[in-house]
Amino acid sequence: MSDISLGTSVAGIPEAAPRQPPALTTGPVAWVRANLFSSWLNTALTLVLAYFIVRYAIGFVDWAFVNAIWSVPNNQTQACRALKASATPGACWAVVTEKHRFILFGTYPYEEHWRPALVCVLFTALYIVSGMRRFWRKELALVWIATLVVIGILMWGGILGLSYVPQERWGGLPITLILATFGLAFAFPLSILVALGRRSSMPAVRVLCVAYVELIRGVPLISLLFMASVMFPLFLPEGINIDKLLRAQVAITLFAGAYLAEVVRGGLQALPKGQYEAADALGLSYWYKTGFIILPQALRLVIPPLVNTFIGFFKDTSLVLIIGIFDLLTAGKTAVVEPAWQGFGVEVYLAISVIYFCYCFAMSRYSQNLEAELNRHRGR
Amino acid sequence: MSAALDTETHLRSAVRTDAPPAILLDKVNKWYGAMHVLRDVSLQVATGERVVVCGPSGSGKSTMIRCINRLEQHQEGRIVVDGTELSDDVRALDAIRREVGMVFQSFNLFPHLTILENCTLAPIWVRRMPKREAEELAMHYLTRVKIPDQARKYPGQLSGGQQQRVAIARALCMKPKIMLFDEPTSALDPEMIKEVLDTMVGLAEDGMTMICVTHEMGFARQVADRVVFMDRGEVVEQGAPESLFNDPKTERLRTFLSQILRGH
């Protein structure tokens, strides 16, 4: 390595041979020494923790894989129960194997399960396509509309030879994805308008936005959902009934909007005043200024808290279980109500956690990449 | 202080006395809360005139020029820019801002846009110029401020002096009739001040109407038709640079000049 730069010194000034940092200050060995074994106390801590980690990891692997039962014939759960009581307990994944279609799709008619399955695939594909920067064009909006229409047709059916499935029978993962996607897709633009409104020079707009944020933020999501499902219909004239899912959807959207608005406002406030002034001085109108100068910078600043809120709301959609909507978590809960499968909740909840984790972790990783990419201009 | 600008030759005046004034301030008053920051400020700037405003910090000079394109609002008096009086009328304000370019102490380039995009944004969206034409115009002015090769970079990749020259080019791309400079060299390292002042001198040579808040007395001597000295929100004294600097009439200006000269 050192001979590469020999003879390349500028203008004849002899260049010192590049010096390497002393060995044992870099590399994994040095890292381990510095972080794990730097003193006798640290060494002791490392050893104790390592013991517990290894011990419980082995225990978990034994339970989850080695001793586990993967399937049982015809709901015959005796083997599972015996295993649970034995000295070497294991997981009964048979409950997930047996019930996975119910957990994923709820009470949707069994023969038609390919439809919600396709809906989940479409949603996931939509997220992936929307995440790729090369697709950030106007056509993406059309793709969204088209996909959402197809999803609606698949879920409801009633045309194109698909049998009609009423909304009461929908359930499982599609419900979670519908609530999260529509909720955030409407809440995000709403939140931007509210955040801008809170900084407006027009007092009426400002008061309205502050009132919205404070009122919605001041009550738990559960009470909003209750209001949407129980109280709201009382105010409607006789004979008019708005879909329960839609009402829950609106409640979630409004709730998410209030939280996101505060995140966006944080970004607006973090932007130096000079940026507003420079845009004003160039004669840019309010909307050009906001669209070209303010929001692109403000939103980049708040990607981490924004995604934090997104992830929070993806999981908060599970609260609809209290008003009897069959989302992923409710479906899982219901799956273990059946007497044959009672007592195997841990396995079901673990399986559901894995699904939630996949979506949330993907969001988290994606936001990190996006942040790095969009903020490249900050580096020199 | 940039020695190169302490040159003997003063620019030939481009003042057009026949035309109506480019900027007129008539007994302008402004308060921040209870603090009276502009007191009966009256000032007329003719088309093609180059005015340098100086004074101690807190004297209201920045506030005054920020009132001209209404980044600050005055509370009393009249400000007429290019024949249009500043008021709450948003359309009139937009019209004025199109004709008045401004350069800030802290550059205020848009960090998420490239240099070229910084320069073309307003011409495209405010002047409704076709993109190609706007880019040609931007390259023309970037060449004038001697950084055409940086057009595809982001502001963060440029030095302070380069950034300030981009800011000047950005303002020029709107083809303004009047340019306001708010301490354009105060945030710069000494070795970069000259490149920015040279750009401004070039602009003055072209007969641009300019108001410049600065402490660069060499620049004032070289290009200013008139120097305005402000203190505590008032215009204390004004006149040609030579007579003002060599023969101050008031104690306040004398004190200020001695402080400035000692400082350099």
Side-chain angles (χ1 to χ4, degrees):
Chain A
M1 267 197 76
S2 58
D3 51 40
I4 294 169
S5 54
L6 283 184
T8 59
S9 54
V10 186
I13 301 161
E15 194 177 289
R19 289 173 58 183
Q20 299 291 326
L24 291 180
T25 60
T26 55
V29 176
W31 185 90
V32 166
R33 273 176 59 152
N35 292 291
L36 300 179
F37 300 104
S38 58
S39 68
W40 67 267
L41 184 64
N42 276 353
T43 307
L45 269 176
T46 303
L47 292 177
V48 169
L49 282 175
Y51 169 75
F52 281 112
I53 289 171
V54 168
R55 198 189 137 160
Y56 285 102
I58 289 175
F60 180 77
V61 169
D62 272 347
W63 177 82
F65 301 105
V66 179
N67 301 331
I69 291 180
W70 298 89
S71 64
V72 293
N74 307 328
N75 286 0
Q76 301 298 305
T77 53
Q78 291 88 340
C80 280
R81 298 205 183 276
L83 179 64
K84 221 177 164 188
S86 75
T88 54
C92 179
W93 297 118
V95 62
V96 179
T97 319
E98 186 70 27
K99 292 281 183 187
H100 73 276
R101 302 236 331 218
F102 182 79
I103 294 169
L104 284 176
F105 308 125
T107 53
Y108 208 86
Y110 194 80
E111 322 69 61
E112 304 286 344
H113 273 183
W114 63 273
R115 280 156 58 179
L118 191 55
V119 163
C120 295
V121 172
L122 278 175
F123 266 126
T124 311
L126 191 60
Y127 304 151
I128 293 172
V129 167
S130 312
M132 288 196 251
R133 289 196 73 191
R134 81 179 99 126
F135 293 120
W136 288 7
R137 289 183 249 139
K138 287 186 188 115
E139 292 84 354
L140 191 59
L142 297 177
V143 172
W144 266 76
I145 293 169
T147 313
L148 295 182
V149 168
V150 171
I151 283 170
I153 292 173
L154 280 172
M155 289 304 285
W156 265 298
I159 53 166
L160 302 173
L162 298 170
S163 59
Y164 174 70
V165 178
Q167 184 262 303
E168 287 74 34
R169 298 202 59 185
W170 301 4
L173 186 57
I175 291 279
T176 297
L177 294 181
I178 286 171
L179 286 172
T181 310
F182 282 93
L184 293 175
F186 286 110
F188 187 45
L190 172 71
S191 72
I192 290 175
L193 289 179
V194 171
L196 291 172
R198 258 194 107 155
R199 294 168 59 87
S200 165
S201 54
M202 288 174 270
V205 174
R206 208 164 50 229
V207 167
L208 208 64
C209 291
V210 172
Y212 162 69
V213 169
E214 296 304 337
L215 279 179
I216 299 280
R217 225 171 29 155
V219 296
L221 177 54
I222 290 185
S223 63
L224 267 186
L225 287 171
F226 264 128
M227 271 196 263
S229 80
V230 182
M231 280 174 60
F232 183 66
L234 300 179
F235 298 111
L236 286 179
E238 199 115 0
I240 292 183
N241 190 18
I242 298 177
D243 188 272
K244 186 156 115 185
L245 186 65
L246 181 61
R247 279 181 270 136
Q249 181 76 79
V250 170
I252 286 181
T253 305
L254 290 178
F255 199 68
Y259 275 86
L260 289 172
E262 287 300 280
V263 172
V264 173
R265 192 166 68 97
L268 293 176
Q269 278 177 342
L271 214 58
K273 207 168 152 239
Q275 293 290 309
Y276 291 87
E277 289 180 348
D280 281 339
L282 284 170
L284 289 169
S285 70
Y286 176 80
W287 289 110
Y288 284 150
K289 173 175 76 171
T290 307
F292 290 129
I293 309 299
I294 307 305
L295 282 180
Q297 295 187 69
L299 292 182
R300 270 167 225 220
L301 285 173
V302 294
I303 288 173
L306 216 49
V307 173
N308 189 29
T309 316
F310 275 25
I311 289 175
F313 273 95
F314 186 80
K315 294 175 296 174
D316 280 357
T317 55
S318 59
L319 285 173
V320 295
L321 86 92
I322 61 139
I323 56 169
I325 290 175
F326 241 71
D327 79 318
L328 183 59
L329 189 63
T330 321
K333 202 170 132 83
T334 316
V336 288
V337 165
E338 201 179 319
W341 294 107
Q342 269 176 16
F344 297 105
V346 175
E347 287 85 344
V348 169
Y349 290 132
L350 265 179
I352 290 172
S353 313
V354 169
I355 297 176
Y356 275 112
F357 180 81
C358 287
Y359 282 100
C360 294
F361 188 65
M363 273 194 264
S364 156
R365 296 303 308 190
Y366 175 68
S367 84
Q368 284 175 15
N369 289 337
L370 189 66
E371 200 186 336
E373 204 167 310
L374 289 182
N375 286 327
R376 256 195 325 220
H377 65 83
R378 288 170 173 272
R380 280 192 168 242
Chain B
M1 180 166 248
S2 47
L5 289 170
D6 290 314
T7 42
E8 49 313 318
T9 49
H10 186 277
L11 287 182
R12 199 147 46 84
S13 173
V15 180
R16 293 179 49 196
T17 42
D18 49 333
I23 300 168
L24 173 78
L25 279 78
D26 184 20
K27 293 204 183 298
V28 170
N29 278 284
K30 177 169 178 61
W31 291 262
Y32 285 130
M35 196 164 62
H36 201 170
V37 287
L38 291 180
R39 298 164 192 256
D40 284 336
V41 171
S42 293
L43 186 71
Q44 265 198 43
V45 179
T47 303
E49 190 175 7
R50 300 171 293 251
V51 174
V52 164
V53 182
C54 62
S57 63
S59 60
K61 49 197 196 307
S62 280
T63 307
M64 181 192 74
I65 77 163
R66 288 160 60 87
C67 280
I68 294 173
N69 63 354
R70 214 172 174 82
L71 290 181
E72 309 277 357
Q73 290 188 22
H74 61 286
Q75 285 138 325
E76 256 182 44
R78 290 168 64 227
I79 300 180
V80 182
V81 180
D82 191 30
T84 312
E85 178 163 357
L86 279 181
S87 62
D88 290 326
D89 181 0
V90 180
R91 283 237 208 96
L93 178 61
D94 283 346
I96 287 171
R97 282 176 172 170
R98 276 199 292 273
E99 305 305 332
V100 179
M102 182 150 196
V103 175
F104 298 86
Q105 180 177 355
S106 49
F107 327 140
N108 293 348
L109 294 179
F110 305 130
H112 63 301
L113 301 178
T114 62
I115 299 306
L116 191 63
E117 289 166 339
N118 262 281
C119 294
T120 56
L121 185 77
I124 289 175
W125 294 100
V126 180
R127 287 259 189 243
R128 301 276 164 203
M129 202 181 274
K131 194 172 173 215
R132 282 279 298 281
E133 199 181 316
E135 285 181 353
E136 278 167 23
L137 184 72
M139 287 314 292
H140 168 74
Y141 283 114
L142 286 174
T143 311
R144 247 193 84 172
V145 300
K146 302 194 179 69
I147 31 180
D149 45 329
Q150 316 276 14
R152 303 279 163 196
K153 288 192 182 168
Y154 286 95
Q157 297 168 302
L158 269 56
S159 74
Q162 289 174 323
Q163 288 193 47
Q164 192 60 298
R165 284 183 284 151
V166 171
I168 295 174
R170 176 175 73 178
L172 291 177
C173 281
M174 284 295 282
K175 296 192 172 162
K177 294 179 181 160
I178 300 162
M179 284 286 283
L180 307 175
F181 292 85
D182 187 4
E183 306 207 26
T185 56
S186 302
L188 293 174
D189 291 336
E191 74 270 23
M192 293 171 184
I193 291 179
K194 183 179 176 311
E195 61 187 54
V196 170
L197 288 182
D198 285 347
T199 307
M200 290 165 63
V201 171
L203 206 54
E205 280 167 352
D206 287 358
M208 174 69 78
T209 309
M210 291 165 68
I211 300 188
C212 183
V213 173
T214 185
H215 291 135
E216 295 295 330
M217 292 305 138
F219 174 77
R221 277 178 206 272
Q222 190 185 354
V223 307
D225 296 307
R226 181 151 51 108
V227 175
V228 173
F229 171 67
M230 287 183 74
D231 189 24
R232 285 175 233 162
E234 295 171 306
V235 173
V236 177
E237 213 173 309
Q238 53 180 312
E242 289 310 319
S243 63
L244 199 82
F245 291 149
N246 297 341
D247 182 22
K249 303 271 185 301
T250 57
E251 186 54 40
R252 284 201 254 178
L253 178 55
R254 222 168 287 139
T255 319
F256 174 71
L257 286 175
S258 70
Q259 278 166 347
I260 281 235
L261 294 177
R262 206 183 309 137
H264 285 279

